[in-house]
Amino acid sequence: MSRASFSITSSPSDSTAEPDADVSAEQTRRTLLLGALATTACLGCSAPARAGEDPPGSDERPQKGDVLVFSEGDSEGKLIKASDLTLGGPPVHAWPQDPKTSVVRSASRLNEILIIKLDPAELDEQTRARAVDGIVAYSAICAHAGCPVTAWVKSDVGDKDVFKCMCHNSEYDPRAGAQVVFGPAPRRLAALPLALADGSLSVAGGFIGKVGGAQPG
């Protein structure tokens, strides 16, 4: 038999070698593409977490020169002016705000403040010294168990309206340095000296007295 009679027949594996290589390359490209997309998605997810962090200074106690803004209601975040307060109450709830950075110090609940306008003639001497036009400010956190002081009601032991914590019924008289007049609170609310400029209220100094409860709330 001559060599010319021989024919070369391709095996099945030879005929599919090139397509298999193409499939493998395509799978590799897809794997790399999916990996890149996953990495991009992960990087995109990390940005909101950083953006959600409290800005520097937001958990610091009120500083001299801070302005005061509403902490709740339709006016939340707006500057509090003396004209926003009604003589005799009720009080408004406020946060201190850094006037330079506009950072509201709301990252700590211990920074919430009660502000009320009273007749200056009703204030005792020490309270009057920290007030401005009869407006006084105190910590809004009860000195007993750290609950929020939310009520302005007739006292259980007198005929005057007082601050009241509804958790355990502690009452405080803002005319006399927020001293305790009823209930289990062991001490008065911390006071915050005020100043007035261009009709807006600001902080004249740090809290006077301990802020927060004597026991866990």
Side-chain angles (χ1 to χ4, degrees):
M1 183 180 293
S2 65
R3 291 178 181 275
S5 63
F6 288 104
S7 62
I8 300 176
T9 304
S10 299
S11 67
S13 60
D14 291 338
S15 64
T16 59
E18 187 173 344
D20 285 348
D22 291 341
V23 170
S24 178
E26 180 63 24
Q27 290 176 339
T28 299
R29 284 193 295 270
R30 288 181 179 177
T31 299
L32 292 172
L33 178 60
L34 290 173
L37 289 173
T39 300
T40 302
C42 184
L43 290 174
C45 289
S46 63
R50 289 195 299 270
E53 292 177 357
D54 294 321
S58 60
D59 59 349
E60 294 180 357
R61 293 289 172 265
Q63 308 289 313
K64 183 177 181 180
D66 281 356
V67 295
L68 296 169
V69 299
F70 289 95
S71 66
E72 60 185 13
D74 295 337
S75 298
E76 182 177 354
K78 294 182 179 180
L79 285 176
I80 298 174
K81 297 183 177 181
S83 58
D84 293 322
L85 302 170
T86 301
L87 180 63
V92 300
H93 289 247
W95 295 118
Q97 181 185 55
D98 187 327
K100 297 179 181 178
T101 63
S102 295
V103 169
V104 178
R105 304 191 195 280
S106 58
S108 171
R109 61 186 292 270
L110 298 181
N111 287 344
E112 193 163 18
I113 301 160
L114 288 170
I115 305 174
I116 190 167
K117 184 175 182 179
L118 300 166
D119 182 348
E122 295 183 349
L123 308 181
D124 67 21
E125 185 176 350
Q126 289 186 332
T127 303
R128 194 180 303 117
R130 297 190 294 265
V132 56
D133 292 342
I135 301 171
V136 290
Y138 298 98
S139 168
I141 304 301
C142 183
H144 174 233
C147 296
V149 178
T150 57
W152 176 245
V153 295
K154 192 75 69 180
S155 174
D156 288 338
V157 293
D159 59 355
K160 293 182 178 179
D161 287 334
V162 293
F163 296 147
K164 185 166 186 172
C165 174
M166 302 308 292
C167 289
H168 305 99
N169 298 318
S170 291
E171 296 178 356
Y172 304 89
D173 184 359
R175 305 163 191 82
Q179 69 178 1
V180 181
V181 295
F182 183 79
R187 63 177 185 276
R188 64 185 66 213
L189 298 175
L192 190 69
L194 295 178
L196 186 64
D198 299 326
S200 296
L201 294 169
S202 64
V203 177
F207 276 123
I208 299 171
K210 184 178 178 181
V211 179
Q215 60 191 53

